[in-house]
Amino acid sequence: MMANRLETLIEIACNPKRTKADQSTNIAICQLINEKEGIYPRKAAMLLAGFAASSQPNRALLALDLLDTCAKQCGYPFHLQIATKEFLNKIVSKFPERPPPGYSPSSHQENNQWNHFDNFVQSVTFSVPIMDRTLYLIKEWKVGLADMSRFKQDFSMIKEMYRLLRYKGYRFPEIREESIRALVPPEELRTADELEEEDRLARSAKLQELIRRGTPQDLVEAHNLIQIMTGYDKRHQTDYKQKFADEINAIQEQAMSLFEILNAVQPNQGFQLSTPAKNLVQACTLAQARVSKFIQNGDREDSDDLLALNDLLNNVLAKYTDLKQGLYNTHYGIHGRIKESDIPTEQQPPISLIDLDDDDECTTEAPPEYTFSHVNDLADIFEKTNIVSPSSNSPKSFGSPVVSDLTQSTPGTEPKPTGTSGEQIVLVNKNGLCIVLEITQVGSLLSINALYSNRSNAPMTRMTLSLATPKSVELNMGFQSSQTVPPKSENQVYQTIQVKNTTKDSLRLRYKATYEQSGVEMELSGEYSAYNK
């Protein structure tokens, strides 16, 4: 039987007489799991968990090495099994209630470490290789699967085990960045058919696991999943063509962001990209290969969009190559290389999602110092717009959408608002950030106090709130009292906003809040609409 073959191969791979892993046997095991699916992922995971808790050190270390290989080669069905309570309890079953006195893990990785907010000052006295390796894998799975995976909601038990071990005093080693990339490769552009097939395989594996567990809650979830898989539940069906279109748009935004960064490089600054910019280069490079392949494969309904995206990616990456070679005076447009004399004084900014009047025309007076700023990002979607910002002396034009960019403002120059407050609305309440608008209305004029709160444990820096309104509304935004919102703070940062709305129409605001937290760039956007009182 094939199941017996799997057991035999695992037994061979984890033979305690071995002194090192046999990668060819490990890969054969992964191929067998991927070919047969069904019970194979669970059978392999549980057998290896038992070997990993073996009292024979060689067998335990070989099993842990094979677990790592399977996690990186066998995809979601195997990930689902290593995220079960039974597996996790079994793999740490030989751990003492508390770490031994003086124990400190050693990952033996000095360079290229994965920075994951777990920085310990370690005074190493001794380490236990099996414990070290197990802790390394649990943290790797926690970061790669429970934090970063597309299906991270199905891997919450890994995060719970990670928290439990930390609570009991265990320290985790630092993780190599390439190890995470091997476990969760960078997202690549996939067709609608590929996206649908990925979901089908994941749902099939999850359904089998839910039925195996068989608790009342699991069976209810299995019933709902069957309705989705059979198409009976129309509300939760995924439009994969739209999903593919969304991925195309996301890549276009990444390419435009990189284009903006590269065009801002000056010869006297040297060419050194930040980590986020390097990630954009990697994403664009991967996308370019996939888009080229789609175009070569023949006629597609979206061939025009793919050709336009291919041109954009080619030009952005050509500019990147030029900069690496020290060529700073080359210029590229979306439709190809352009002469320096043809370059407009202000580059076209990337398209923004904040848009209330797509078809309306306005006038524009964009201050030159805002080239590639958030002001231009928002203004671009109005085609021609009169922009007013806290640092601009441009006249306020009633009847034009007004966009405010606070990245150029001087924090602390705005006096704290006083007076009576009327209605309170919550504009943003997500990821620990809460922005409440206190509104006082006098006739057609709304005086708004925006109050920023940070309910998370890390500071939010470079906080920027951008707003857009319809043509019929005049908007004037003051400076924020600070661009840093401290952790665990309530209403500590404030900002005054005035809105003049002479119509009886409902007030509509599109917003985009951007900030950095723990080195990660965050963005929250949405729309608020309410009838004036």
Side-chain angles (χ1 to χ4, degrees), residues 14 16 48 50-67 130 133-134:
C14 300
L48 288 172
F51 285 171
S54 170
S55 58
Q56 297 175 290
N58 276 12
R59 167 162 284 192
L61 289 171
L62 289 167
L64 290 169
D65 188 82
L66 180 51
L67 272 172
I130 296 172
R133 184 67 168 142
T134 304

Side-chain angles (χ1 to χ4, degrees), residues 291-312:
V291 170
S292 298
K293 182 179 179 181
F294 293 158
I295 294 173
Q296 293 170 3
N297 284 343
D299 294 335
R300 294 176 57 95
E301 295 178 3
D302 48 11
S303 58
D304 290 342
D305 293 335
L306 290 174
L307 287 169
L309 178 59
N310 189 56
D311 288 342
L312 173 61

Side-chain angles (χ1 to χ4, degrees), residues 428-439:
V428 180
N429 188 14
K430 191 173 182 181
N431 297 341
L433 174 63
C434 182
I435 302 178
V436 175
L437 304 183
E438 290 186 344
I439 302 177

Side-chain angles (χ1 to χ4, degrees), residues 99-117:
Y103 168 75
S104 187
S106 174
S107 60
H108 305 292
Q109 302 295 337
E110 300 297 332
N111 300 315
N112 201 19
Q113 294 178 338
W114 176 262
N115 182 14
H116 182 61
F117 319 120

